């Protein structure tokens, strides 16, 4: 059974810092890995999706990498802003059932 | 982009009430929809996979008679929490599988259920 872990559980940084969020998964036979953002009391916003054949994806200040062999993915946020404050979730897709397994999330606070 | 509408966004009701939550794919057909539950400061836990025209598949530990799922059309799945009790209070989120998209699931905005 796939298990997804995110470290750290919470992170507080001053505005402007670059930061890295970590995600690890136990079963490397994934179809893809996805990073989401969740604001308090809200649904999920998809940030980046990395196919199993890819190593990284970039969107604006966000860069996500994937290393299937080590079972790890990272989300890099450059020049953080207070508006980046949210919970970030990673999720691994099991191809056959198209089911996502979510990590427990990293709660990010960017201080102005 | 693909849109999933979830309704209602918030429900507050008395213990013993049954509550129905709707999940609609607005611009694509979804043969499969997923229902998740999220407790405060915790991640999303898959409750069940809803398949159009057939019975839902429930995850271990989820009571199928407690959480009734109906997926009668390619654009609508419903989750009914029967005889809800305070311990059922949680945030419920649905997603719809768009097999024609690179993104596997499109998520609704969630339903905050509070049982008094």
């Amino acid at each position: 059974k796939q298990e997804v872990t995110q470290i750290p559980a919470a992170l507080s940084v001053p505005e402007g810092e670059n930061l890295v969020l970590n995600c690890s998964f136990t079963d490397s036979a994934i179809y893809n890995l996805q990073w989401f953002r969740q604001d308090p009391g809200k649904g999920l916003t998809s940030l980046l999706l990395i196919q199993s054949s890819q190593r990284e994806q970039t969107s604006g200040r966000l860069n996500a990498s994937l290393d299937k062999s080590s079972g790890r993915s990272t989300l890099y946020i450059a020049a953080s802003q207070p508006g980046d404050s949210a919970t970030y979730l990673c999720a691994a897709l099991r191809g056959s059932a198209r089911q996502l397994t979510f990590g427990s999330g990293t709660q990010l606070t960017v201080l102005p | 982009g693909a849109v999933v509408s979830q309704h209602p966004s918030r429900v507050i009701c008395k213990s013993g009430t049954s509550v129905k939550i709707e999940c609609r794919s607005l611009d694509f057909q979804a043969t499969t929809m997923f229902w998740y539950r999220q407790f405060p400061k915790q991640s999303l836990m898959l409750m069940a996979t809803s398949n159009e025209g057939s019975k839902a598949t429930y995850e271990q530990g989820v009571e199928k008679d407690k959480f009734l799922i109906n997926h009668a059309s390619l654009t609508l799945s419903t989750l009914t929490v029967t005889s809800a009790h305070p311990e059922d209070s949680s945030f419920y989120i649905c997603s719809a599988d768009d097999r024609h998209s690179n993104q596997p699931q499109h998520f609704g905005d969630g339903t905050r259920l509070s049982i008094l």
Side-chain angles (χ1 to χ4, degrees), chain A residues 6-11 20-22 105-107:
Chain A
Q6 289 186 247
I7 296 174
L11 181 63
V20 175
L21 306 181
N22 297 292
T106 294
Q107 185 173 353

Side-chain angles (χ1 to χ4, degrees), chain A residues 32 34 36 38 41-44 46 49 51 89 93 97-100 102-104 107, chain B residues 34 36 38 41 43-44 46 49 59 91 93 97-99 102-105 107-109:
Chain A
N32 62 41
Q34 202 163 358
F36 295 89
Q38 185 178 31
K42 302 294 184 182
L44 303 182
S46 178
L49 184 151
Q51 300 290 351
L89 296 161
L93 180 73
R98 293 178 71 82
Q99 291 180 344
L100 285 169
F102 282 85
S104 52
Q107 185 173 353
Chain B
F34 301 92
Y36 298 86
Q38 185 179 34
K41 297 190 182 300
S43 191
L44 278 72
L46 180 66
T49 302
E59 295 300 300
F91 192 58
I93 304 179
D97 184 10
D98 183 359
R99 292 186 176 263
N102 286 333
Q103 183 173 322
Q105 295 180 25
F107 286 82
D109 287 337

Side-chain angles (χ1 to χ4, degrees), chain B residues 71-115:
Chain B
H71 193 160
S73 78
L74 288 171
T75 59
L76 174 64
S77 176
T78 61
L79 169 68
T80 300
V81 184
T82 62
S83 187
H85 292 283
E87 59 266 28
D88 298 322
S89 299
S90 189
F91 192 58
Y92 293 86
I93 304 179
C94 73
S95 70
D97 184 10
D98 183 359
R99 292 186 176 263
H100 299 289
S101 168
N102 286 333
Q103 183 173 322
Q105 295 180 25
H106 302 286
F107 286 82
D109 287 337
T111 297
R112 172 71 59 192
L113 176 62
S114 300
I115 307 298

